[in-house]
Amino acid sequence: MSQKKNIEKLWCELILMENINDRRALIHNDVKIKNPKYQILAKDDPYRFFELLGGDESEINSNNWAFKYTYEDYIEENDIEYDHKEADGWNLEEKSIEHANDTGHWYVTGTCMIESPNNIKLEFEFDYCDGLLDKIIGTPYNVKEHGNHGILF
């Protein structure tokens, strides 16, 4: 069977499950196994996958991430000489957030946790561009990679 036909067969399997909690439980269990069967669907069309599990964009919680702004970035940007005392007192988190606010330049992501009975939680991570939802960058299959895009503020 070709990969395209296999993907369509898997989509059909999920669509035919009328009970959303059963569908969520199936994916919750699939995420835990060594060779997950439905992971290919999350890669093929993550937004369709999100919707099929009952995901709702209105439940996305956004996060702002400041890019790391080091002392070295500061001296290069301002064309000044290195000062050991100032470098030692550099607060990376504080200065990064301050720089993000001053420049209006930071990264925005969002997370949505789809929950069902029996402690089932399926997390998705979203990328924003110019204030609009752009794409899904994380699914329940790669939760360990979610977040950590800089300094959260």
Side-chain angles (χ1 to χ4, degrees), residues 5-17:
K5 284 188 179 191
N6 184 47
I7 290 172
E8 283 308 311
K9 180 180 177 252
L10 293 173
W11 281 120
C12 287
E13 284 178 24
L14 284 183
I15 291 166
L16 290 174
M17 293 182 80

Side-chain angles (χ1 to χ4, degrees), residues 54-67:
D56 184 348
E57 283 184 30
S58 69
E59 295 178 5
I60 298 173
N61 297 309
S62 64
N63 302 297
N64 294 327
W65 301 91
F67 298 102

Side-chain angles (χ1 to χ4, degrees), residues 4 14 26 37 41 58 65 84 87-88 92 102 105 114:
K4 186 175 180 178
L14 284 183
L26 176 72
K37 178 179 178 180
L41 300 182
S58 69
W65 301 91
H84 287 286
D88 290 343
L92 181 65
D102 288 348
H105 186 68
I114 298 172

